[in-house]
Amino acid sequence: MSGVFYEKFERHAHGEGLKAHSTHYCPGCGHGVVHRDIADILKELDAQDRTIFISPVGCSVFAYYYFDTGNSQAAHGRAPAVALGHKLAAPDSLVISYQGDGDLASIGLAETISIAQMGVPLTVIFINNAIYGMTGGQLAPTSLTGQKTATSPDGRGRAHGQPLKMAELIAQLDGPIYVERVALYDAKNRVKARRAIKKALQNQLEGRGYSFIEVLSECPTHLKLSPVEAEKWVQENMEPVYPLGVKKDVSATTEPWFKGPRPSYEPEEVLGLAGAEPALAEKRRTEWPAHVAKRDLSFKFAGSGGDGAQTAALLLVRAAIELGYDATHIPAYGPESRGGTSYADVHIAATEVLNPAAPEPDVLVAFNAPSLTKFAHTVVPGGTILYDSTIVTVAPTDLPAGRHILGIPFTKIAADLGKPMVKNVVALGALQSATKLLPDDALIETLAHVLKDKAAVLPLNRSAYAAGLAAVTPATV
Amino acid sequence: MTAPARPKPFLQPEYCKGCLRCVDACPKHCIEPGSEINPATGLIPVELHLDACNGCSLCMQACPEPFGLRPETERAHEDHSGRGDDFDLQDPAKLFGPKPRPSDPAADERDTVIAAPACEPLVLKGNYAAAIGALFAGCRHVFGYPITPSTEGAELMAKILPKLGGAFVQAVSETAAVNMMYGAGGAGVPCMTFTSGPGFSLMLEGVSYMIGAELPGVFVNVMRGGPGLGNLGPEQADIKLACRGLGHGNTHAIVLAPGTPQEMLDLTIDAFTLAFRYRSPVVILGDGYLGQMTGIVKLPETMLRRGKPSWSVCGDRDHRHNLISSIELLETDLEKRNEHLNRKYTAIARREQRADLYRCEDADVVIVACNTPARMAKGAVEVARAEGLKVGLFRPITLWPFPISALADLLPQTKRLIVVEAGPGQLEDELRLALSHAGFATPRIEHVRRHGGVLPSQREILNQLLGTPAASHA
C-alpha cells in the first residue's frame, strides 16, 4: 500500500464489507496490476497531490474507487479529451488517461489520435486485453483473428477486419514523444511495464510531451481461461500480433516546453484586443435630419462577392452609430467562399432599430444586373435605386415607377482613379449625395477611422468618396 | 540468521482472489495455490511459506489487489492469526496506523471583480459580441469545431486567447470539444463553445454528462436551418433540443435567447454567472441572423476573474478528494441524485425566469416571440399600434425556464395570443407546456411561422395582427 490508494474504498458500494478493501475486478485481471504500478510510481514521483486520474468507460470505469487522487470520470472513448481539458485548465497537474481497448481504439479513436498528435504532455495508459470486458466479452478492435467473442461467435473473420495495432499507429504520429508496448504475463515484463509507466509520467511532469503506453493485459473471465492460462494466452497469442517494445522514443532529445495556459485578466488588454477605444469626452451627436420623414430607413446593398457590398454596408452602419443613431447590418451570401451573391440588409434608426431585416428597402444599391433585377421591385415607392451603370450598361426596361433611379458609373469612376476596387466607396459617396441622411463628411470620417492603420490607402478612398458625391447632381436626381 | 534487508510479503486471506499471479512470480517458490475456501469471500486464497523468501517483492508487483500481498512492514502489530469463520473487517486505521489526512477540503475561492475603463461602444457581429462577453466573464478556455453560422466567435477566441494566456482548441469534432469542456469545467474554470444545430446534436452526449456531473460550461448555439445539414439560414428549430432534449436522462439547463448583438454579449456574461451558480451547462440559443448581425454593443464596466470552486478537480492537495462523475451505481443513490437535480431545476424555474415586455401594459393582443423574429414582431407592434391596435410583445429571454409568471400577469387582459417563430412551433410548444404546468386553460393560440432558414417578416406578422389575408409564400 503506497498511500496512493484510499485506505477504505468509500465509493465502492459505500465501503461496506469486503468492498472497502477489495476491487471490483475479476481474479487475475490485469487492471489491478497496472493500478498498483501507477500507485507505487505516483508515490515514488511524489505526484499524488498533482494527479488527475481519468476513469474511462469499461471495466476500469470505477478506478476512482481506488485512487486517492483527483478523479474525473469520462464518457465512453472521450477520456483523452477530458484529460486535455483538465490539463489546459490546470497545467501543473499530472493527468492520466487510463483506457481500455473498446474505449480507446474503437469509440474514442478520433480523440485518441487527434490528441496524441497535438502532443500536449499527457499520459495515456492503454489496457489492451483483446476483448470488451464490462459489456460482456464482445469483439474489440484489438481482438485477434479467429478469436471467438460474443459478437463474433464464429471467430473474428475477414470482414471483421484485423487487429488494430494501436502502439504502432500512435508511434507513426509526430505528436507523441514516447510510445511503448509492455505486458504483464511474467515478472520480467511486469518490471518493464512499471519502468515504462514511470517514464511516461515523468515525461509529463517535466513538460516534455505526450506518452502512450500500451499494456497487453489479461481478461480471464471473457477469454474463459484461468488467470494463469490467460497469462499464457497473452504471451502465446497476443504477443506475436502485438510485439512488445519501444515503438518511438524521443523523450531524451525533446526539451521540456509545455508551460500551459496562464490566463491574465487585464481589462485594458482585452479591450485593446477587442478593438475598443477609450470613451470620448466629446461625443459627436447629430440630430436626425429633418428632411427624412421616417425614423427608420432600410437599405439593401447587393452584388457579387468581391463587389464590396458588405464593406460599404458596414461602413454606413458604423458611421450612423458614430453619429449617435442605432444601426444594424445583416449579411447574406451564397455558399461560395469567393464570388457568388452577396447581399446586405442595413437599417439606420433615429433611436432604435426594431426590425433589422430589409425586405422592402428604402434604398437599393445594386452593383450588377442580376441584383438590380432581383431587388428593384422590392424598393418602397418613393425610395431610391442606385446602380453601377458601368456594369449595367442597359438599364432594365421594367424598373418600377415612382422610385428615384440613378445609374452611376461606380466602376468607371473608380478605375479612372486607378483602383476599380474602390467602386463601393464611390457608391457610398453617391448614396450620401442621393439621400443626405448623414452629414457629408461622416462616411469618410468613419472610413479614416477604420483605416487608421492603413493611412496609405486613405487618399485614394477620399478621392473615390468625393467623386461619388459629385457624381450625383441635382440634374441626375 | 539475520533478518532480511527487505520486507517479506504478508497476506490477509480475505483480500486474495486466488488468481495465482504471485505463484509464478516468486523465484523461490514460496507461494502455493491454496486449498481452502475462505468463508468471507468464497474464494481460495494462496498460501505463503516464507522460509526461503528474500523479500524480492516480485510477488507484490504481480498482485492485482491494492490490499493483497503487502510488505510485512504494513502488517498491524496485533496478531490476526486464528481468525476464520468469524472474520470481521478490521478498521484500517487499526490495521495500518493513522494516515495523514489531506488538508481540510477546500473552500470556494472568491471571485475578483476588476474595474474596466470606459470605452466607446463597439460595432460588432453577434458572434463576436458573445466572445467578448465571455472574455469579460473570465472565460479563457474555449473548445470548438468550425460550423457556420457560428464560427466567428471561435475565430476571435483563437486570435485573442493566446495573447491572454488562455487556450483555444479546435477539437477533432464537436464530441471531442464538449468533452474538453467537461475536463476544463471539471477543473473549475469557465469554458465555452460556439456551435450550430448539427454540431450541437453531436455535443448532446457531453451535455448530458456535464449535467449529470454538475459542471459549468456555456454553449452558444447559433441556430441554422434543419433538419440534417439543412442550410445556413436562421431557424428556431433547436428549441426542443435545448429545452427538452439535452442528451439522455433527466436533463435540463437554462436556455437564454438573445435578440440583439448587445444581448449576445450581456447574456453570455449572465450565462457564466448562472453556470457557476447552479453548477450546470447553460445554453445560449441565437439564430443565424443574430450570429451574423452587426450592431452597437456597449461594453461592461467590470471584468471577472473567477475563483476556483471547492468541488473542482485541478491537481492540487486541497482538491485531491474531489470526484467529477455522473455515475451512481446503486439505484437508490441515482434516485437521490436525480431528486437533487430536480430540486435544482425547481429552484431555477422559480428564480431565473426572464422576459422582456414591450408595450404590454394595456395590450389585449400579445405576440410571443424570441431572437430575431421578436424584432420583426417589434416592428409590427409599432405599425399596428399606429393603426390603433392594442398590441404588445412578450419576449421570453429564458426559454427554459419559460417565463410563465410574467405572462400570467397579462393573461386576464389578453384576447389574442400570437406566437411568431422561425420554425415548426417549438416555441409554441414551450408556451403550451408552461401554461399547462401553471394550471391555465390554454387560450386560443394563433401563430405566424416560417421554416427552413426564412424568418417571418414584419408584413406577415402585421397581416396576422390586422386579419388581412397573407400573401402566399411564392
Side-chain angles (χ1 to χ4, degrees), chain A residues 352-363:
Chain A
E352 184 194 0
V353 173
L354 300 176
N355 171 11
E360 297 159 16
D362 296 291
V363 181

Side-chain angles (χ1 to χ4, degrees), chain B residues 8-90:
Chain B
K8 295 182 178 188
F10 89 100
L11 179 70
Q12 275 185 243
E14 53 280 358
Y15 299 145
C16 172
K17 292 176 178 171
C19 76
L20 312 185
R21 277 181 178 268
C22 55
V23 174
D24 279 354
C26 177
K28 303 283 186 187
H29 308 295
C30 299
I31 311 178
E32 285 181 355
S35 53
E36 294 204 4
I37 294 178
N38 180 286
T41 64
L43 299 168
I44 305 171
V46 294
E47 290 172 6
L48 309 186
H49 308 284
L50 298 178
D51 300 345
C53 172
N54 62 356
C56 76
S57 83
L58 289 175
C59 60
M60 296 183 242
Q61 289 183 25
C63 176
E65 283 294 317
F67 287 88
L69 286 165
R70 278 168 294 146
E72 187 68 53
T73 43
E74 287 186 17
R75 186 201 282 273
H77 295 295
E78 65 255 45
D79 182 16
H80 291 292
S81 61
R83 275 202 330 233
D85 301 23
D86 60 345
F87 167 71
D88 186 16
L89 272 180
Q90 300 296 303

Side-chain angles (χ1 to χ4, degrees), chain B residues 287-419:
Chain B
D287 60 68
Y289 262 25
L290 187 54
Q292 297 301 317
M293 188 194 307
T294 297
I296 188 166
V297 177
K298 296 185 181 69
L299 294 168
E301 290 166 2
T302 55
M303 179 185 284
L304 199 65
R305 177 186 187 147
R306 225 166 264 284
K308 206 177 280 180
S310 59
W311 47 261
S312 61
V313 171
C314 49
D316 66 18
R317 188 178 183 81
D318 291 351
H319 299 82
R320 197 177 89 195
H321 59 283
N322 287 338
L323 165 68
I324 303 297
S325 163
S326 57
I327 307 177
E328 294 290 357
L329 205 56
L330 301 177
E331 290 81 355
T332 47
D333 288 349
L334 185 56
E335 188 175 42
K336 277 200 198 88
R337 182 183 282 234
N338 274 303
E339 282 164 355
H340 160 73
L341 289 176
N342 288 339
R343 281 192 295 276
K344 182 155 86 172
Y345 301 151
T346 305
I348 289 172
R350 204 176 50 242
R351 293 189 209 135
E352 305 299 345
Q353 293 183 25
R354 287 172 64 178
D356 175 46
L357 278 61
Y358 182 73
R359 307 196 71 169
C360 283
E361 314 73 39
D362 61 339
D364 55 16
V365 181
V366 174
I367 297 177
V368 178
C370 64
N371 299 131
T372 305
R375 300 189 70 169
M376 282 67 180
K378 212 170 179 178
V381 165
E382 279 305 287
V383 179
R385 279 271 174 183
E387 302 267 332
L389 207 65
K390 285 188 180 172
V391 54
L393 170 65
F394 179 85
R395 182 168 69 95
I397 291 176
T398 50
L399 301 187
W400 195 92
F402 194 91
I404 191 67
S405 308
L407 186 66
D409 297 340
L410 305 178
L411 284 177
Q413 67 189 46
T414 304
K415 295 197 182 79
R416 295 171 67 196
L417 208 48
I418 305 172
V419 182

Side-chain angles (χ1 to χ4, degrees), chain A residues 1 7 14 17 23 25 36 49 68-69 73 88 218 262 264 277 280 283 329 352-353 360, chain B residues 17 21 63 65 69 74 89 99 120 141 164-165 182 294 317 320 324 333 375 378 458-459:
Chain A
M1 267 293 288
E7 52 193 40
H14 300 285
T23 66
Y25 297 117
R36 282 190 75 166
D49 287 341
D68 185 356
T69 59
Q73 199 290 316
L88 294 180
E218 295 79 11
R262 307 281 167 177
S264 67
E277 293 169 355
L280 299 168
K283 294 235 192 300
H329 159 258
E352 184 194 0
V353 173
E360 297 159 16
Chain B
K17 292 176 178 171
R21 277 181 178 268
C63 176
E65 283 294 317
L69 286 165
E74 287 186 17
L89 272 180
K99 184 176 164 184
E120 283 298 299
H141 293 78
L164 298 177
Y182 181 100
T294 297
R317 188 178 183 81
R320 197 177 89 195
I324 303 297
D333 288 349
R375 300 189 70 169
K378 212 170 179 178
Q458 182 173 314
R459 183 167 298 282

Side-chain angles (χ1 to χ4, degrees), chain A residues 134-157:
Chain A
M134 178 149 272
T135 47
Q138 293 83 9
L139 180 78
T142 48
S143 296
L144 304 184
T145 300
Q147 188 180 336
K148 288 186 170 151
T149 71
T151 46
S152 60
D154 301 328
R156 183 173 195 165

